[in-house]
Amino acid sequence: MAYQVVSKKSDKTYYLHSREQVLRNGHKVTLYYFSTQIGDGALDALPNGYIVTESERTGLPILKKKR
């Protein structure tokens, strides 16, 4: 089951996804994003060291590193 977050503002359900991106200099980075549908790259849990917050203005979930 994919990791999901329900928006407090809009009551929509968002699912966490990730994908690998290769930069111009050859380095690989992992991109995390939320989508309203489960697709390729859906994650079952939060990555270590990250928390989910919600934008007060838009209600969209945001993945942030723990401090």
Side-chain angles (χ1 to χ4, degrees), residues 4 13 17 28 37 50:
Q4 62 184 9
T13 302
H17 293 74
K28 291 183 183 179
Q37 298 178 351
Y50 286 88

Side-chain angles (χ1 to χ4, degrees), residues 3-65:
Y3 184 82
Q4 62 184 9
V5 175
V6 178
S7 173
K8 295 174 188 169
K9 187 170 184 170
S10 66
D11 280 338
K12 286 186 179 179
T13 302
Y14 294 93
Y15 301 98
L16 181 62
H17 293 74
S18 72
R19 69 180 176 130
E20 291 288 322
Q21 182 74 34
V22 179
L23 302 177
R24 284 188 230 167
N25 61 8
H27 290 114
K28 291 183 183 179
V29 294
T30 303
L31 302 175
Y32 297 104
Y33 62 96
F34 287 93
S35 175
T36 56
Q37 298 178 351
I38 299 174
D40 292 340
L43 299 177
D44 293 331
L46 279 177
N48 288 334
Y50 286 88
I51 59 171
V52 176
T53 62
E54 186 175 304
S55 170
E56 292 179 14
R57 187 172 56 88
T58 62
L60 294 174
I62 301 167
L63 194 65
K64 289 187 175 182
K65 283 191 176 182

